[in-house]
Amino acid sequence: MSSTSMSPEASEAAAAAAEAAAVAHEEYLEMRQEVNVEMLTYYAASISALMGVFILSFWIRFILVRLGWTRTRNPILLPFIATTRVARKIFIRTLPGFTSVGHAVVVTAYVALNILFTFYDFYLNDYSQSTNFASRFGWMATGNMVLVVFLALKNTPLAFLTAYSYERLNVLHQIAGYTTMLYTILHASIYTDYFLNNDRVYILQKDVVTAGIILGFALLFSVLAGMILKRFNYELFYIIHVVLFIVIVVTLGLHRPSFNPDQGLYATVIIGAIWFADRLVRFGRLVYNSINNEATAYALPDGGTRIVLKKPISRARPGKHCYVWLPQIRTLETHPFTIVASDPMELVINTYSGFTRDLHEYALQNPGKSLRASVEGPYGTDPDPLDFDKVVLVAGGSGATFTFGIAADMLERMAENSTQQIDFIWVVKGQDNLTWFTEHLNNLRSHYHSPKVSLKVHVTRLAPTHPAHRSDSTARTSASGSSTDLVPSGMEKGVEFTAASGQVSSAATPYQSDREEKYPPRPVDIPSSAASMVDLPIIVGRPDTEALIRSAVESVGRDQRVLIAACGPDGLIKVVRNVAASCISVDGPAVEVHCEQFGW
C-alpha cells in the first residue's frame, strides 16, 4: 500500500468535513441573504417615508390654502407660515447641477439612504469578504430598479397624492437609473474577480449567471443611450430604451428565478406588473379617444404647426399636456404636446427633426386636411390659477403654449365680479411667431376680463419700420446689458414643451440655428381664424424679467397670493426661480412658483 494513500476512516472523515463545510457555507449564504433582504426592506420603507413627507406636506398646504389660512396673520399660525416661507425661499432657488436647492436636498437624502443601507449591518459584521459587498450591491441594484420603473410611470400615484406629475420626477428617474447601473457594475466586477481568482470559472458559465451578464450589458446600453443617443435622436432612443427594458426584466427574472428562498423574483414581478398596468391604462385611453376622432393640421409661419382635434379628452385643461397619436405621420409613436385650448382641443407645435418635421411637411402639403388621430392624457399638476389674486405668466418662444393655456383657462373660469389680475409676459424672436397664437392674443385683449390682463409682448428681432412700441425703460435695459437680461437665443428658443421628461419627444435638437438651416422659412397659408390680429402693442427688445416679476409681486397686498408660472429654456427658468425666491418674505404676500422647462 502506498504511504500516501488514505485509510477508509480518514477518507470518510475528510468527506464528512467537506460536506459539513459545504452545509455551513450554504447556511452562511442563507443567513447573509436574509440580512440583505431585511436591509432592502428597510431601504424600501425609508424611500416610502421620504415620499410620505412630500405627500403630507402637500396636503397640509392644500388644506391651509383651501381654508384661507395662508392669508391670515393669526399669531398661532404665524410661526408655521414663517417657517414654510423661509424654507421655500431657500428650496426653490436654482443650484448648479440641480433644478433647485430643494431638488439637491432630495437627491442628497436619496444618496445618503443608499450609502447607509449599502454598508450597514453586514451578516456577522464581516466586512473582510469581498463577496459580502458584491451580494449587497446586487440587492441594492434590484431595489433601485423597482424605484426606477416607479418614477417612470406616466400614471404615477404621486401625481394624485402630491404636486409631482411624471415629468417632474424624470430627473429622479435618471439619477436612480445611474445608481442602479453603478451598483450593477460593482456587483458584477467583484463577483467576477472572486470567481476568477478562486478557480471557480465554471460558476460564470451557469445559466443564472449568463442571464445576469446579459442583464448588466442591457442596463449599461440603456443608460448610455439615455446619456448620448437621446440628445440626437429621441425617437430611436425610445425604441432602444423600451426593447432593452424588456430584456432587463426578463433577464432579472432568470437571474433570480425563485420566490423562495432568495425572494428576488418578487422584484421582477413588481417591476413587470406596474409597468404593464401603466401601459394598459395608456393604451385603453388611446383606443377610447380614437373613436370618431380626427385632427386638422395647419402650417404656421417660421416652422409652426397648429393641430385642432375634433374630440376633446375628459379632464383636459389648457396648460396640461397630452400624448398625440397621428398614425398617418408615425404609426407606432405618440408625442407629448401642451394643450393650448380645450374646446376645441388645440395644440401649437414647433418644428424640429423627426415627428414635428414630418407633421409640418404634411400640413404644408395638405392645408386643412383631416387625418386620423387620438390623444392620451392629460398629464401635469399645475396649480389652480383661481386660488391666487395675481398670476404672473412668463414665456419664451413656444413656451407660450403653456402660459396661453393657463391664461385662457383662468379667464373662462373667473367670476364676473372677480378682482384677480394676470400679468402676461411673452418674449419671441420675430413677428411671424405672433401669428401662432393670434386667436389667443385676441382673446386676452377682447375678453370680458381683458381690463384685468396686463399684456407685454417683447419681440427681439423686429424690423425697425414696424409700428411697434419701444419704451424708454426697455431701451435702457437693452443698452445697459444688465445681468438680468437673457440673450435672445435663450429666451426665444422654440422647442415644443416636453416637461423635461417623457417616453417620446419630437424635439431632436436644441439649436435654433440648426433648425433654420435645415428647414428654411417657407410661405404658408394661414387659416382664416388667424388671418387678422387686434392691434397689438409690441415692445422691441429684451425685457428686464426680474424687474417685471418683482414689480408684479410688490403691487399686491400682504394678505394676498401670487402665482408665478413660467415655461421656457433653462436661462429663463433660472431667472424666474431666483427672483420668485427673493420675493418670498414673512411679511409679504404668499408667492408660489411653477416652472415648465424645454427638453427631456
Side-chain angles (χ1 to χ4, degrees), residues 296-313:
T296 305
Y298 302 96
L300 300 174
D302 199 28
T305 308
R306 177 173 175 254
I307 295 179
V308 179
L309 288 114
K310 176 182 177 181
K311 178 181 174 182
I313 56 177

Side-chain angles (χ1 to χ4, degrees), residues 578-592:
N578 289 336
V579 69
S582 68
C583 290
I584 296 176
S585 65
V586 177
D587 295 329
V591 178
E592 298 279 347

Side-chain angles (χ1 to χ4, degrees), residues 235 326 329-330 333 335 337 353-359 506:
E235 293 164 351
L326 300 173
I329 308 299
R330 288 285 197 279
E333 298 177 8
H335 293 258
F337 302 107
S353 61
F355 174 83
T356 54
R357 176 196 59 203
D358 293 346
L359 175 61
S506 49

Side-chain angles (χ1 to χ4, degrees), residues 477 480-487 542-546 571 574-575:
T477 299
S480 65
S482 170
S483 61
T484 58
D485 288 347
L486 299 177
V487 296
R542 293 167 289 173
D544 186 342
T545 310
E546 180 177 348
K574 180 178 179 180
V575 171

Side-chain angles (χ1 to χ4, degrees), residues 500-561:
S501 172
Q503 298 286 352
V504 184
S505 169
S506 49
T509 173
Y511 302 106
Q512 178 74 14
S513 59
D514 290 347
R515 186 176 72 85
E516 292 174 345
E517 201 172 296
K518 293 179 181 178
Y519 316 114
R522 297 172 59 175
V524 297
D525 294 327
I526 307 298
S528 58
S529 61
S532 62
M533 184 186 300
V534 175
D535 182 31
L536 186 68
I538 296 173
I539 304 172
V540 181
R542 293 167 289 173
D544 186 342
T545 310
E546 180 177 348
L548 292 173
I549 295 175
R550 194 179 301 279
S551 175
V553 175
E554 292 173 351
S555 68
V556 302
R558 58 184 296 189
D559 60 340
Q560 294 184 309
R561 304 186 72 230

Side-chain angles (χ1 to χ4, degrees), residues 253-544:
L254 295 175
H255 186 56
R256 287 292 184 178
S258 64
F259 292 105
N260 189 35
D262 60 31
Q263 304 182 38
L265 195 56
Y266 284 110
T268 305
V269 172
I270 293 172
I271 290 172
I274 62 177
W275 183 82
F276 179 77
D278 183 64
R279 291 282 167 170
L280 187 62
V281 170
R282 296 181 64 196
F283 180 74
R285 288 176 180 166
L286 205 62
V287 171
Y288 176 78
N289 291 325
S290 69
I291 300 174
N292 193 32
N293 202 1
E294 58 185 22
T296 305
Y298 302 96
L300 300 174
D302 199 28
T305 308
R306 177 173 175 254
I307 295 179
V308 179
L309 288 114
K310 176 182 177 181
K311 178 181 174 182
I313 56 177
S314 61
R315 300 181 299 107
R317 271 177 49 188
K320 291 182 177 291
H321 66 278
C322 62
Y323 279 76
V324 180
W325 179 57
L326 300 173
Q328 197 165 337
I329 308 299
R330 288 285 197 279
T331 305
L332 300 177
E333 298 177 8
T334 60
H335 293 258
F337 302 107
T338 303
I339 301 171
V340 185
S342 56
D343 189 19
M345 191 165 169
E346 178 186 347
L347 313 169
V348 176
I349 303 164
N350 207 351
T351 299
Y352 283 84
S353 61
F355 174 83
T356 54
R357 176 196 59 203
D358 293 346
L359 175 61
H360 186 67
E361 291 293 332
Y362 177 88
L364 286 170
Q365 298 168 11
N366 305 275
K369 184 178 180 180
S370 298
L371 62 164
R372 185 185 177 193
S374 184
V375 283
E376 188 267 312
Y379 296 105
T381 51
D382 311 325
D384 188 345
L386 292 186
D387 290 337
F388 300 87
D389 300 284
K390 171 166 278 192
V391 176
V392 183
L393 302 172
V394 186
S398 60
T401 54
F402 172 73
T403 54
F404 272 118
I406 294 291
D409 178 57
M410 185 175 179
L411 289 174
E412 287 304 312
R413 296 192 294 131
M414 284 170 60
E416 184 174 341
N417 60 348
S418 173
T419 60
Q420 294 167 304
Q421 297 178 329
I422 300 174
D423 279 17
F424 193 99
I425 306 166
W426 184 25
V427 186
V428 292
K429 179 185 64 177
Q431 184 185 3
D432 284 347
N433 298 109
L434 301 180
T435 61
W436 292 17
F437 300 96
T438 302
E439 289 186 356
H440 306 284
L441 284 167
N442 289 341
N443 181 49
L444 292 182
R445 291 173 53 77
S446 61
H447 194 275
Y448 174 80
H449 291 297
S450 61
K452 300 164 188 173
V453 179
S454 174
L455 179 61
K456 300 179 181 67
V457 179
H458 294 257
V459 178
T460 61
R461 299 184 188 177
L462 195 64
T465 57
H466 188 276
H469 302 280
R470 184 182 181 95
S471 67
D472 292 340
S473 61
T474 303
R476 287 194 298 270
T477 299
S478 299
S480 65
S482 170
S483 61
T484 58
D485 288 347
L486 299 177
V487 296
S489 60
M491 286 289 287
E492 309 144 13
K493 203 171 293 179
V495 184
E496 64 272 19
F497 160 61
T498 52
S501 172
Q503 298 286 352
V504 184
S505 169
S506 49
T509 173
Y511 302 106
Q512 178 74 14
S513 59
D514 290 347
R515 186 176 72 85
E516 292 174 345
E517 201 172 296
K518 293 179 181 178
Y519 316 114
R522 297 172 59 175
V524 297
D525 294 327
I526 307 298
S528 58
S529 61
S532 62
M533 184 186 300
V534 175
D535 182 31
L536 186 68
I538 296 173
I539 304 172
V540 181
R542 293 167 289 173
D544 186 342

